[in-house]
Every structure is written in structure tokens, then in C-alpha cells.
Amino acid sequence: MFKKIAITFAVLLVVLFAAAACVPLIFKKEIVAKVKSSINNKVNAKIDFGDFDLSLISSFPNLGIKLNNLTVVGVDSFALDTLAKIKQTQLNLNLMSVIKGETYEIKSVNLNEPTIYAKVLKSGKANWDIMKPDSAVAPVDTAKSSFKVALQQYGIENGKLTYDDASLGVFLQAENLNHSGKGDFTQDLFTLKTQSDIEKLTVKYGGVPYLNKVKLNAELPLDIDMKQMKFTFGENHIKLNELLLSAVGYLAMPNDQDMVMDFKFNAEKSDLKNFLSLIPAIYATNFKDLAASGKFAMNGVAKGTYNDHSIPAFNVNLAIENGKIKYPSLPSAINNIQVKSTISNPDGVLDHTVVDVPAFHLEFGAAPIDGRLLVKTPMSDPFVDMALKGKLDLKQLTTIFPIKDMSLSGILAADVQAAGRKSAIDKGQYQDFKASGQMQASNFVYAGKNVPMPVSVPSAQMTFSPQNISLSNLVAKVGKSDFTANGAINNYLNYVFKKNQLLKGNFNLSSGLIDVNELMGPPSTAAKPAADGAKMSVFEVPGNIDFNLAIKAAKVIYDKYDISNAKGALQVKDKTVYFKDMALSMLDGTVKMNGSYATVNPKKPKVDIDFGIEKMDIQQAFSAFNTVKMLAPIAKFAKGIFSTNLKFNSDLDEHMMPVYSSINAEGLTNIIQAIVDGFEPMNKLAASLGSNEFKKLELNNVLTKFKIKDGRLNVAPFDIKTKGILMNVQGSNGIDQTMDYQLGLNVPRAMLGSKANDAANTLIASLNSKAGTNVSISENIKINAVLGGTFLKPSIKLKYGAAEGKSGTKEVVNQVVAEKKAELQAKAQEKVDTLKKKAVEKATTEIGNKLKGLFNKKTNN
């Protein structure tokens, strides 16, 4: 009997498991169809998911649905935003509702590794508003009622939630979020028990971080009235890092527009250390070793309606009495901390918000710092009344806070006050806005392992007035660079209180050395000398300043250039540095420049500069400028000096080097004196002509116009006269080292080799034969040479005359005859001039002798 029962039970178990395995397969097609139908008919977004799995065994007695890699991407204004990306979404459905084919009841929802990005534009449009309006929904009844929420449980595992509301200036982000909720959502009245853990919680309002990567743990039961949409806080605890809070009250949503609230919160424990845990810099650095004493109190209340037009009235109080902070391993402490502050709004009108810190006091060791702050009418016409007074010994900070791998010292002293309304600044009525005081720094030193370069400020002083901040006696050193400066910062109140205002200033700056390579280099290589090959990175010019600087620097190191005696003016404005009458010495010459360096598009910086260069060494210019190497490689083989006037503009790459294909330039160069020796195209020309005279060219006062465009250097015709040779040069070469030059040569026959002379004689004999003449070649031969190929592998084509053919032959012969005739005429004229000169000299001598004899006779008489 027992055996039969066992067999029957086993068969029944197998049947049940078989049914559990088959049910999902039977209903999978129908469920997938309903899921897709519901999505496509109700949602205005791009939704996709990967594998779709059904299971009954793991979710029994419910039917489990798993959607893998679910993504929701917005449309229109949010076409580039991913609203949701969820690794796995599990919905458990009431099995009987599936079997009956009725509306599917969702019993639980679990999201595994979801990334949710909720965004609201300034206009108030939200990216999660993706449900189609009723008129747009396809008229399919089953789609409207395919699913029914009958939740008993929901959960989120390892999620990331971001809420970015530009209309309210609110930003919230929860990283590594784990949250669960249990309650019967089918009831009108029920209790929802929630548990939340967030590893990093950030809350910002108006760009100000009120919570910054704070750890949160919360148990928050809610009594829910679904008909009234009212949520009442049960007994709860909320832990932010080490600070324990509790809240009582309720929140209700009676309609789509309003959120009504009435709740209070307060800190359960009054230990100062728990409050300090909310400060990231303190919490992240040996917080467990921190000793803190003193009373701490924080509480608040919010009551009223939140909607597009109003906020609840609220009041938040924070106070610290007799506080002290000390790390046991360090000798000094922050003593006698006294703070009392209130942020209040009595009626929900945002402009009636008041921030009041009537006084705060603390002592770094024995050095006191005191201040106050009052802000009223922040929306209509902000009123500010603030003061700060104290002296801070930075060296003492290292005895209070644990600072590793860093050297910090110096004295900072401040005594400043400001009081007045923003409207006074807007109207330029600075006499109605009181701002005064001074800030001083002395013997400031900041250096360390993670500091790109040491900074020292032996002295500096700022004096405040409503009109400006005057800077005087600034002496500073950053890395190897030193600076002294004075000047004034103008418009600073407008810059602080009004949007889109420029911070203006005028400064005089002088320096013994400015190492631009060190200042602009990336942190990882900033300490390396330029010789190590450290590449510079793009310096992005600020767009919110308008500074004018008069500069004088004895020495500047930039890239591979050693610059001396730099002086001129700079204007920094509109993300651009403008150079005005800059003058400097470099490469044994002088440079004057006017132009600009712009980072309007930081990924594509631009330079546009007019250069005036006087008497610069050619070899040094070749070594220093990559543009010269690429477009004028002949400079490698030239020794001498040159001057040029150059208009140059180009894009720059990420290492501040010109993008050669974008270069546009033109100018006039004067090669004052130079010797070109060893240049391969001239070596090949010399070999072709059989004359070593072309291997080494002496140039004096050679003027040439040039233009750089589309990666090619185009040279206008210019003449070279050397050793009895006349050479006319024109053509172009490119960054690919190709060249196309035409040379018109007038060369004495005596300089040419036998091969060149034979070629010339053969040509003239052929021409005489065709023309029936008997003309001989003159003492100078005209040769046309075409230089092609590349600089390393040049090609030479020589022509000793004009085109072939009868007409060409007659032209050449006539030209040769004309040249010969001109040569004979020149010789004849030279002979006539010689005879005339001798005749004049002879006549002059004879006349002189006769006059001499005549005067001698008169004397004798």
C-alpha cells in the first residue's frame, strides 16, 4: 500500500513540475503580445528589451516575467536621453488571472541594476511624461486593461537614480541604491513598510550642494490613504552618515498640481561629531579618530502647499555651542565654536526667505575668526549684510587637520564688510552699497606630492571698495616662474550678483622668468623639463573676464623657445587672448606681434597673428619652428640671417601645434645674408649642369613674397645674383615634401661642364641648320630648369631654348641673333666710350699745358 502511495505521489509531483514548466510556455506568446501591445499603444518613447523569460517554479504561486536589458529612450527634446536602462525587470503575476485570460494582476515588481535619469527642462517639460494622450491611444480595449497593479511588494537592487530639475534648480542623485517596500496596494488604507540604503546621496539646490555623496539608511513606514492620496509618517529613523534624524507629519497629493505637507524633523542625537559627518572632507579623512565635543541642535518644519506657484512655509534652525574639534594625533584643535543660524520662510512666498547667521566664532588654536551673514528678499532685490574678521596661520592648520604629502604655511588676514541691495549695484549707485576692508597674505607657501608645482606668495594685499578691488604688492612664484603685479578688479559686485557679467580688471605684471611649458603642461608631466619631450595641453581662455595686462618679462620659456625682453599688452576677453604691440627677442633676432589666440571652441583653438621679425638666425628658426621644417626644408642647409613680415592664422591641435592643412599665411621675406650648402635639389642641378658653383649659393638681400595655403608654400618670382649667375625662382612645395619650381638661369658658359656646353652647341647647331643661319652661342647661356619630385629625391628637367618646330626655331635663332647683336653693340659701345674717354683726357691735358704756358709768359713779362 505504501509503495502505491509513494508511486502515486511521485507521479503527481512530476505532473505538477511538468505543468509548472509548461504553463509559461503555453502562455508566453500571449503574454508577450499583451506586453508589447500595452507598450506600443500607451507610450510615446523608444522602448526595447532583450530576452523575455517566463517562470513558475521560482515565483510560485505566481507567474514570473523577466525582461532583460530594458531601455527607455525619449523622443523630441529628450531624443538623446535614456530615461531608463534596467539590467533585469521581474514582474510576478497572479497565475489564475493569466490562466483565466482576464486582466493580468501584477503582484510584485523588482528592478535589478536600474539606471534611471529623470530630467525636467526649464520649461517644466519632463522626460518621464511619455504616456500618450487618450485621443492618441489605439482603441483596443484589451490594451487598456491588459495589466492591473495589485502590488504586494516592490524592490530596487544596486540602482542609480538621478533627478535633474532645471525648472526648480534641484538636483538629486542616489548611487548604489537598494530599496524595498511591502504593502497591499489593492487596499484603500494600508501601511507601506520601506527600507532604503544609499551609498552616495547628493542633493543640490541652486547649484549649492546641501548633501554631497552622503551615506543614507532609512526605515520609513508610511500609513497610506489611497483615496485621499495622503501619506503619514509612522515611527521612523533616517541616518545620514552618522547623523540620526526622525520626522513626523504627512504629505498629501489631492490633485495633479498640488503637494500638501505638514511635517517636522529633528536630530535625535545632539553630538557635534554626528553633524560633522555630513562634511565630506572631514568624513573622508580619519573620521573615526576625530574627537568632537559641544552641543549641536538641528530641527525644522515645513507646512503648506507646493506647486508651480508656491512653496510651503518652512523654518530650519542649526546651532553649535561650545564646540571643539581635535584629532588625537595632532597637537592643536579648533576651539570655542559658536554658531547660530536660521533659514526661514513665514508664508511660502520665496522672496520672503531669510538666511540669518547673526554671529559665528571659532578659534584655530588661539587665533579667532568672527563673522556674520544676513540675506533677505533673495528673489526681488537681494539684500546682503556680511562681515568677516580674523587671522589664519596656515602652518597651524597642519597641526589641527591631518594633511599628508603637503606643505602649507603663511598668514592670511581679513577684515572685510559688505552691506546693501543688489539694485544699488544695478543702478551704479555704489555709494548706497557699502563694501570695505582688506585681505592680506604673507609668506604663503603651498607645495606637496600632489601639487603640480609649488606656489609661494611672499606678499599680497587686496583693498575692497564698492567700485573695485585694488591689488597691490603682489609678489608670487609658481614653480620656476616669478611674478610681481598690481592693479584693480572692477565690476566685481555686478559679477557676483548679476548673471552673465564680465569680471573686469587692469593689471601691471612683470617677471624675471615665465616658464609657460611648466604652467601649461599637464599635471603628470608638469615637473619635467621641456627637453624630456613633455607635450603641452590646450590652455582654455576664460570667457567670463575682461582683463587688460601690461606685461614685461626678462625671460620666457615657451615650447623650445628661449625668449628675452618680452614686453607689450594683453587683453583677455571673449575666450580670446589679444596680443597688442608685443615685442621680444628670440633666436638672435627680434619679433613684434599683434594678433590673437582664441579658444571659443576649446577643441579647436585658433591663432591669428601678424609677425614682424628682424635679423633672426635661419638655423635656429629651422630648429625651433616645425612649420619652417615642414614648408621650408631648405632652411636646414642655410646659414645666415633673415627678416620677414608675416600674417599667419591656423588651427591648433591638442598639443598647441599648428594643424598644417589649416595654415593660411602670406608675407615678404628678406634673406639679408645666407649661404646654402648641401641642399639636394641644388646638388642635382649642379650635377646636371656640370658646375659645382650651384652646390653652394651665396645670397645677399634677396627679397621674396610668399603665401601658404592648403598645405603648400607658394613663392612669387624673385631673383638671385651670385658669382656672375642670374637665377629667377618661382613655384611651390608642400607639407608632403613635394616641389614644383621653375628656375630661369643666365649662366656664363665658362661655368658649365662639357656635357652642358655640348648640349648647348648641339642645340644651336640644330637651330642654325634649320634656319639657315650661322649664329654662335654668346658667352652667357640661358637655361630653364624645372625642379620636381621631393626634396630628398628631386628630379631635374633642363631646357636650353624654346619650343621645337620651324616657328620656334626662327624665334630662338632671332633671339640668339638679337642677343649676339646686343653683345657686339655693347662691346662696340664700350670701345667707343673708351676712345672718347682717352680723347677727352688727352684734350684736357693739352689745354691745361697751353694755359699753363700762357700764364708763365705773363708772369715773366
Side-chain angles (χ1 to χ4, degrees):
M1 175 64 72
F2 177 77
K3 185 176 181 181
K4 290 183 178 181
I5 294 173
I7 293 173
T8 303
F9 179 77
V11 171
L12 180 62
L13 191 62
V14 170
V15 171
L16 288 174
F17 270 99
C22 292
V23 167
L25 298 177
I26 295 171
F27 293 101
K28 181 175 182 178
K29 185 175 181 181
E30 182 181 353
I31 293 173
V32 170
K34 287 193 174 184
V35 169
K36 291 187 175 181
S37 176
S38 294
I39 291 174
N40 292 330
N41 284 278
K42 291 189 176 182
V43 175
N44 186 24
K46 298 177 182 177
I47 297 180
D48 193 16
F49 53 85
D51 296 336
F52 184 96
D53 295 327
L54 296 178
S55 174
L56 182 60
I57 298 174
S58 62
S59 57
F60 190 82
N62 298 315
L63 176 65
I65 300 176
K66 291 182 180 180
L67 294 176
N68 294 317
N69 301 317
L70 173 66
T71 60
V72 181
V73 180
V75 295
D76 300 329
S77 303
F78 304 104
L80 300 178
D81 295 332
T82 300
L83 171 60
K85 183 178 181 180
I86 306 170
K87 183 177 181 180
Q88 188 177 82
T89 304
Q90 173 146 357
L91 293 83
N92 290 332
L93 308 183
N94 183 309
L95 177 60
M96 294 308 298
S97 69
V98 176
I99 294 174
K100 292 178 181 179
E102 299 172 351
T103 300
Y104 296 166
E105 293 183 357
I106 302 175
K107 306 291 285 185
S108 67
V109 177
N110 285 282
L111 307 179
N112 184 23
E113 295 187 22
T115 298
I116 310 296
Y117 179 52
K119 183 176 181 180
V120 182
L121 301 178
K122 286 187 177 181
S123 62
K125 186 176 181 180
N127 69 341
W128 65 82
D129 186 13
I130 59 176
M131 300 304 293
K132 293 181 179 179
D134 293 339
S135 59
V137 177
V140 181
D141 293 338
T142 57
K144 292 181 180 179
S145 57
S146 295
F147 291 90
K148 175 184 177 181
V149 177
L151 279 179
Q152 302 290 326
Q153 177 187 350
Y154 68 92
I156 298 174
E157 297 179 23
N158 299 323
K160 181 178 180 181
L161 171 65
T162 302
Y163 175 73
D164 188 358
D165 191 335
S167 66
L168 299 175
V170 174
F171 177 86
L172 182 148
Q173 187 171 80
E175 299 179 68
N176 292 336
L177 164 66
N178 289 281
H179 174 82
S180 63
K182 293 182 179 181
D184 189 354
F185 282 82
T186 62
Q187 303 297 314
D188 291 334
L189 297 172
F190 67 98
T191 298
L192 176 66
K193 296 180 179 180
T194 68
Q195 170 69 46
S196 300
D197 288 290
I198 301 175
E199 186 174 326
K200 296 178 182 179
L201 174 64
T202 298
V203 178
K204 297 180 182 180
Y205 180 71
V208 178
Y210 290 91
L211 296 176
N212 188 12
K213 297 184 178 180
V214 170
K215 186 176 182 179
L216 178 141
N217 177 270
E219 292 181 6
L220 186 62
L222 296 172
D223 293 327
I224 299 177
D225 184 342
M226 294 298 291
K227 287 186 175 181
Q228 301 295 326
M229 286 300 288
K230 184 176 180 180
F231 308 88
T232 303
F233 299 115
E235 185 177 348
N236 60 80
H237 84 269
I238 303 169
K239 186 177 181 182
L240 299 173
N241 284 347
E242 301 301 321
L243 180 64
L244 286 173
L245 301 174
S246 63
V248 295
Y250 71 87
L251 183 146
M253 292 180 285
N255 52 57
D256 293 339
Q257 288 77 36
D258 298 332
M259 183 182 296
V260 180
M261 63 187 71
D262 184 358
F263 70 88
K264 300 176 182 179
F265 72 90
N266 70 310
E268 293 185 356
K269 293 185 178 181
S270 58
D271 294 339
L272 176 59
K273 185 174 180 178
N274 295 332
F275 168 70
L276 294 175
S277 72
L278 298 182
I279 303 174
I282 294 178
Y283 191 67
T285 309
N286 301 325
F287 180 75
K288 65 180 181 179
D289 299 328
L290 179 70
S293 61
K295 294 183 179 180
F296 164 74
M298 184 174 70
N299 56 72
V301 60
K303 184 176 182 179
T305 302
Y306 176 85
N307 55 35
D308 293 339
H309 309 291
S310 67
I311 61 173
F314 63 87
N315 190 81
V316 179
N317 301 295
L318 185 148
I320 300 174
E321 293 182 6
N322 304 318
K324 181 179 180 179
I325 302 172
K326 186 179 186 302
Y327 287 92
S329 60
L330 298 173
S332 295
I334 302 177
N335 300 306
N336 197 15
I337 304 172
Q338 310 288 342
V339 179
K340 184 178 181 181
S341 62
T342 301
I343 304 175
S344 62
N345 184 292
D347 53 14
V349 178
L350 196 58
D351 195 44
H352 294 169
T353 302
V354 176
V355 178
D356 188 12
V357 185
F360 69 86
H361 174 90
L362 54 85
E363 298 167 8
F364 286 96
I369 295 179
D370 293 275
R372 69 173 188 272
L373 174 65
L374 176 64
V375 179
K376 298 189 296 185
T377 59
M379 306 304 293
S380 61
D381 186 11
F383 172 83
V384 176
D385 183 1
M386 61 81 63
L388 178 67
K389 183 178 181 179
K391 182 179 288 187
L392 183 61
D393 185 345
L394 299 177
K395 182 69 175 178
Q396 193 174 42
L397 281 183
T398 63
T399 68
I400 297 174
F401 294 105
I403 302 176
K404 294 183 179 180
D405 303 320
M406 184 184 298
S407 174
L408 186 65
S409 62
I411 302 295
L412 298 180
D415 186 359
V416 295
Q417 307 85 33
R421 292 192 174 276
K422 176 178 176 291
S423 57
I425 300 169
D426 295 342
K427 297 173 182 178
Q429 297 171 349
Y430 297 109
Q431 70 278 4
D432 296 331
F433 193 99
K434 298 178 181 179
S436 61
Q438 289 186 344
M439 294 184 70
Q440 295 177 324
S442 57
N443 301 319
F444 173 83
V445 176
Y446 176 51
K449 180 180 178 181
N450 297 319
V451 180
M453 61 200 78
V455 178
S456 66
V457 182
S459 67
Q461 179 173 305
M462 292 188 294
T463 302
F464 293 81
S465 73
Q467 290 80 13
N468 59 39
I469 302 173
S470 64
L471 174 68
S472 59
N473 302 322
L474 171 63
V475 179
K477 189 169 184 179
V478 182
K480 296 189 289 288
S481 304
D482 62 88
F483 305 93
T484 60
N486 59 71
I489 299 174
N490 306 309
N491 201 49
Y492 76 99
L493 290 175
N494 271 325
Y495 178 78
V496 172
F497 289 106
K498 295 177 68 176
K499 293 182 179 179
N500 304 320
Q501 292 292 305
L502 294 178
L503 186 63
K504 299 181 179 181
N506 296 284
F507 303 95
N508 297 306
L509 176 68
S510 60
S511 173
L513 169 66
I514 301 176
D515 189 340
V516 180
N517 293 343
E518 185 183 49
L519 296 175
M520 293 178 59
S524 59
T525 58
K528 295 182 181 179
D532 287 352
K535 294 182 179 180
M536 291 188 298
S537 57
V538 171
F539 166 67
E540 186 172 350
V541 182
N544 57 348
I545 63 174
D546 181 2
F547 285 175
N548 291 286
L549 300 93
I551 294 180
K552 186 177 182 180
K555 185 176 181 180
V556 179
I557 300 174
Y558 175 73
D559 198 17
K560 294 176 286 187
Y561 317 140
D562 284 332
I563 300 168
S564 60
N565 301 321
K567 60 182 180 180
L570 297 179
Q571 184 182 23
V572 183
K573 184 179 181 182
D574 300 330
K575 298 186 178 182
T576 303
V577 178
Y578 296 94
F579 306 95
K580 297 182 179 181
D581 298 324
M582 288 294 298
L584 49 90
S585 299
M586 63 182 294
L587 308 180
D588 293 341
T590 60
V591 179
K592 294 181 179 180
M593 53 191 288
N594 288 276
S596 64
Y597 161 76
T599 57
V600 177
N601 180 357
K603 295 182 179 179
K604 195 175 182 181
K606 293 180 178 290
V607 290
D608 187 353
I609 303 176
D610 292 352
F611 291 99
I613 299 175
E614 293 290 334
K615 298 181 180 179
M616 184 173 286
D617 184 83
I618 296 174
Q619 281 289 296
Q620 292 188 56
F622 177 83
S623 299
F625 301 119
N626 285 335
T627 303
V628 175
K629 291 179 182 179
M630 296 297 293
L631 291 172
I634 190 174
K636 180 179 181 181
F637 305 93
K639 295 181 180 180
I641 57 176
F642 75 100
S643 297
T644 187
N645 291 316
L646 168 67
K647 293 180 179 292
F648 179 93
N649 68 76
S650 172
D651 297 337
L652 301 180
D653 63 18
E654 66 272 19
H655 300 303
M656 298 288 286
M657 299 303 295
V659 178
Y660 298 113
S661 60
S662 72
I663 294 176
N664 283 289
E666 60 180 320
L668 176 67
T669 294
N670 178 17
I671 303 175
I672 299 171
Q673 179 278 322
I675 295 176
V676 179
D677 187 10
F679 188 44
E680 185 58 25
M682 298 309 297
N683 290 341
K684 187 129 187 183
L685 178 64
S688 299
L689 295 176
S691 173
N692 289 331
E693 300 295 338
F694 289 92
K695 289 185 177 181
K696 187 175 183 179
L697 293 179
E698 295 182 5
L699 308 178
N700 293 282
N701 295 319
V702 175
L703 292 174
T704 175
K705 290 183 179 181
F706 64 89
K707 181 179 290 187
I708 302 174
K709 189 175 183 180
D710 299 328
R712 293 194 72 81
L713 171 67
N714 298 277
V715 179
F718 67 94
D719 292 328
I720 298 174
K721 295 180 181 180
T722 179
K723 301 178 183 179
I725 301 170
L726 177 62
M727 183 186 304
N728 181 268
V729 181
Q730 61 180 303
S732 69
N733 61 268
I735 58 176
D736 58 358
Q737 302 297 289
T738 60
M739 59 178 178
D740 181 12
Y741 280 96
Q742 294 80 43
L743 279 60
L745 306 174
N746 194 332
V747 187
R749 288 193 63 183
M751 289 186 180
L752 298 177
S754 59
K755 185 177 180 180
N757 271 296
D758 289 344
N761 289 329
T762 300
L763 175 63
I764 198 67
S766 174
L767 294 174
N768 280 327
S769 175
K770 293 179 180 179
T773 57
N774 186 24
V775 177
S776 61
I777 297 179
S778 62
E779 294 181 8
N780 281 14
I781 297 179
K782 289 188 176 181
I783 304 170
N784 292 323
V786 177
L787 299 183
T790 66
F791 287 106
L792 296 178
K793 294 183 178 181
S795 62
I796 305 288
K797 293 182 180 180
L798 299 178
K799 293 183 180 180
Y800 292 87
E804 296 289 337
K806 291 185 178 181
S807 59
T809 300
K810 290 182 179 180
E811 283 186 23
V812 173
V813 172
N814 290 336
Q815 182 180 349
V816 173
V817 171
E819 291 175 358
K820 193 69 175 176
K821 183 177 178 181
E823 181 184 342
L824 293 174
Q825 286 178 343
K827 289 183 177 181
Q829 185 64 43
E830 183 180 353
K831 191 171 183 179
V832 169
D833 292 341
T834 301
L835 291 174
K836 283 184 178 181
K837 183 178 180 182
K838 289 181 177 180
V840 170
E841 290 176 351
K842 183 177 180 180
T844 303
T845 302
E846 291 180 355
I847 292 172
N849 290 336
K850 288 184 178 182
L851 290 174
K852 183 178 179 182
L854 178 62
F855 283 111
N856 286 336
K857 287 180 181 180
K858 287 185 178 182
T859 302
N860 293 332
N861 290 334

